[in-house]
Amino acid sequence: MEQTPQIPKEKFRLVHDENNAEQEKIGTPSLTYMQDVRRRLFKNKVAVVCLTLLSIIVLISIFAPLIAPSNPNAQNVTMSNLPPKLGNLNIPGMNGYQNMGGKMVDAYKQAGAPKGTSFILGTDYLGRDLLSRIIYGTRLSLVVAVLATLVDLLIGVPYGIVSGWKGGKTDTFMQRIVEIVSSIPNLIVVILMMIVLKPGLTSIVIAIAITGWVTMARLIRAQTFQLKEQEYILAARTLGEPSMKIATKHLIPNLSSTIIIQTMFTIPNAIFFEAFLSFIGIGIPAPNASLGTLLSDGQKAFRFLPYQMWAPAIILSIIMIATNLLGDGLRDAFDPQSSEH
Amino acid sequence: MAKYILKRILYLFLTLFIIASITFFLMKLLPGTPFSNQNRMSADQLKIVKAQYGLDQSVGVQYVRYMVGLLHGNLGTSFQFNNEPVTALIGQRLAPSMQIGAQAMILGTIFGILLGAVAAIRKNSWVDTLATFISILGLSIPSFVLAVLLQFYLAYKWKIYPVALWDNFQSSVLPTLALTALPLGTVARFMRTEMVDVMSSDYIELAKSKGNSNWKVVSKHALRNSLIPVVTIIGPMAVSVMTGSMVVENIFSIPGIGEQFVKSITTNDYPTIMGLTIFYSFLLIIVYLIVDILYGLIDPRIRLGNGGKE
């Protein structure tokens, strides 16, 4: 008969007890999804630069009345078409000199401007300060973009969620509408709306939003279809949560990445449409400035006074480039797989 | 496939019908008439003119007339441009628009594919960065800004191309360039994403491990497979080229339909606006239809997978 050896309890001891605990410990603090997204976004240098640029532009637009040197619509015909001048600094191209008949002439002296007057970006054909007009113009363009995007969200997101959530006949019907709306070229709808409505901020926003929501609705619907099958949604349903609550508590937070990314692509689109409509003369009415009207005014005089178009063109391009790149950055941050092949 | 195409064509007519109806009633909603400025006309004259354009009838009658005319390919008569039928107006002006539109799309697609492919092959190198930068510029800078800059530097300052003229190929270069940027950017970006995907797939690994040269792998396998999805963005591209052409034609004074459209808007020439709206919609829907059918033919997975939905 075999005897089980009697080993006293004291002889047993845990191997590397402390070490083990040390190894098992999670070294880095645990990150929530949004923290992780933020970390990835801030690691992307291009996105950070774009975010900073856009923040500066947005801040300037918000505080336009404090920052703009003068009233953007104040006319002073004696000071019309003055070239850029930055104080008394003698920087070529920014010293108030203008090429007239082959030689450089101090345009400010010619116009009889009082000593010390300087317009950093020059003035337009009515003597309005271009810098102030660009600041206010950017503000107006951004307002159009933000409003159009908001309307987009308010229609597109609920539409997509309802369509995806209900499914069946409701979905088929709602998708038929989407199909028809999306097969009408949106530019045509925007132009038609602009002709029918009075030109102005509200009309532009309505015109852009009336076609813009379709893309958002489509994306949200597809995403909702996927989310619907998830266990946590099933759990919420089993527990008897009303659909409305599931939508706001579970669906929208999980759709947020899609919404944010799509928004980043809607904004440049809206800015472009505003500029386009104003450029062909059915957008923001005079005397208000928007980037589009400034470009349109600048284009008329471009041959002789190129600075009048360069400034708004550069600002518009910077906003477009920055939003596009930030959109890319956000997509990579929300969905790391998309860039990790 | 035949059923699918038939269904799509049915939808095409439904969509066109809806567009035509919406356009018609929107135009009727507008206050005033195109003749309100002409005070010189007496009441009798106005009556005659109105009768000539059929504006004395009720809206319902006008609508039915317009729709019947549409079925016969009649888009009405222009109020402003020498009483010409709108169809004749479009006909005369179609060629220049088509020419620069097609040139821009072809040029943009070819260079976009090259740019995107090069960026994907040399991924994460300076070539990639440069290519991405170019495509972002193309996507972001509005065509009308580009058009003005091109006109100023290449035509006015350096006199390489005519400033605003429409006669030979030379005069189509600048408008084409201005319109090319957007398709170029779109295609390059799309192509890069697709190709990066394809390059990391198993069959490319296999082709490489079989000892094929890099060039052969790219040209025979990667390029071909990445090209298929590019077909899908031809539709949106056509839209953007059309949008751009409206202002670009104006800037370069090209007698095309885009220029006509903008002119009609500023002169309240409703029949022409309506006609061009319907014509543009028709054009785009056809492009979308062709693209979808083409895609189904090129990639059988689409057709069999889900019956052509999405």
Side-chain angles (χ1 to χ4, degrees), chain B:
Chain B
M1 194 69 187
K3 201 180 147 206
Y4 169 63
I5 295 175
L6 211 70
K7 203 179 111 193
R8 286 294 305 261
I9 291 175
L10 215 77
Y11 262 118
L12 188 154
F13 282 110
L14 182 68
T15 318
L16 271 182
F17 172 73
I18 293 174
I19 294 173
S21 306
I22 293 175
T23 327
F24 181 86
F25 287 110
L26 277 179
M27 290 296 132
K28 286 295 156 212
L29 273 180
L30 287 174
T33 70
F35 312 114
S36 52
N37 287 334
Q38 279 140 358
N39 296 328
R40 286 164 294 168
M41 271 196 267
S42 68
D44 284 339
Q45 281 174 320
L46 202 64
K47 220 173 171 181
I48 296 168
V49 173
K50 276 195 167 177
Q52 189 196 335
Y53 292 109
L55 289 173
D56 50 345
Q57 251 104 9
S58 71
V59 176
V61 175
Q62 286 182 41
Y63 174 68
V64 173
R65 269 193 179 179
Y66 191 78
M67 284 306 187
V68 171
L70 206 59
L71 277 181
H72 294 99
N74 178 5
L75 292 167
T77 314
S78 163
F79 289 161
Q80 305 281 356
F81 301 96
N82 306 328
N83 275 336
E84 262 188 275
V86 175
T87 32
L89 212 59
I90 296 176
Q92 291 158 13
R93 289 172 160 263
L94 195 56
S97 297
M98 283 292 171
Q99 191 192 335
I100 55 167
Q103 283 176 1
M105 283 196 32
I106 293 168
L107 204 69
T109 314
I110 292 174
F111 282 96
I113 287 171
L114 285 179
L115 204 65
V118 169
I121 295 165
R122 298 259 176 277
K123 199 179 149 240
N124 294 334
S125 71
W126 64 270
V127 181
D128 183 17
T129 316
L130 183 73
T132 311
F133 185 68
I134 294 174
S135 68
I136 284 287
L137 280 188
L139 280 173
S140 306
I141 299 177
S143 50
F144 48 91
V145 173
L146 207 61
V148 176
L149 296 182
L150 285 172
Q151 189 182 41
F152 183 68
Y153 287 103
L154 291 181
Y156 179 71
K157 263 206 154 151
W158 302 331
K159 300 188 169 53
I160 303 174
Y161 295 105
V163 175
L165 183 78
W166 184 256
D167 52 3
N168 51 9
F169 176 72
Q170 279 278 321
S171 52
S172 77
V173 172
L174 290 185
T176 305
L177 282 183
L179 285 177
T180 304
L182 197 59
L184 178 99
T186 322
V187 172
R189 202 165 135 118
F190 198 81
M191 185 69 191
R192 183 187 176 275
T193 322
E194 278 306 320
M195 188 114 167
V196 165
D197 246 6
V198 168
M199 287 298 272
S200 61
S201 63
D202 292 340
Y203 59 85
I204 293 293
E205 289 295 314
L206 178 70
K208 274 186 191 162
S209 59
K210 270 160 61 182
N212 282 321
S213 69
N214 229 342
W215 166 245
K216 204 170 168 195
V217 172
V218 169
S219 63
K220 268 205 110 168
H221 301 276
L223 208 55
R224 277 192 178 184
N225 282 296
S226 340
L227 276 178
I228 298 173
V230 174
V231 174
T232 52
I233 54 171
I234 292 177
M237 239 164 65
V239 177
S240 60
V241 167
M242 185 197 91
T243 312
S245 77
M246 284 187 196
V247 250
V248 170
E249 282 177 17
N250 247 311
I251 291 170
F252 291 102
S253 309
I254 294 166
I257 46 173
E259 198 232 2
Q260 178 67 53
F261 194 49
V262 176
K263 220 193 279 171
S264 309
I265 290 167
T266 41
T267 52
N268 285 351
D269 187 1
Y270 305 136
T272 316
I273 298 176
M274 273 159 72
L276 277 171
T277 302
I278 295 166
F279 179 72
Y280 270 132
S281 312
F282 179 69
L283 215 65
L284 287 177
I285 296 170
I286 294 276
V287 170
Y288 272 110
L289 180 68
I290 293 174
V291 165
D292 280 359
I293 293 173
L294 210 65
Y295 197 47
L297 288 178
I298 299 174
D299 195 345
R301 279 172 301 181
I302 315 294
R303 173 169 40 154
L304 300 173
N306 46 11
K309 283 183 220 152
E310 273 311 299

Side-chain angles (χ1 to χ4, degrees), chain A residues 300-317:
Chain A
K300 287 168 199 146
F302 191 65
R303 207 157 286 174
F304 311 106
L305 307 157
Y307 65 91
Q308 287 187 1
M309 180 164 164
W310 270 115
I314 289 171
I315 296 291
L316 179 68
S317 303

Side-chain angles (χ1 to χ4, degrees), chain A residues 33-47:
Chain A
Y33 177 58
M34 283 318 279
Q35 280 170 327
D36 210 27
V37 166
R38 210 173 306 145
R39 186 185 59 87
R40 276 198 294 265
L41 185 67
F42 285 127
K43 258 169 83 183
N44 183 343
K45 277 185 215 128
V46 177

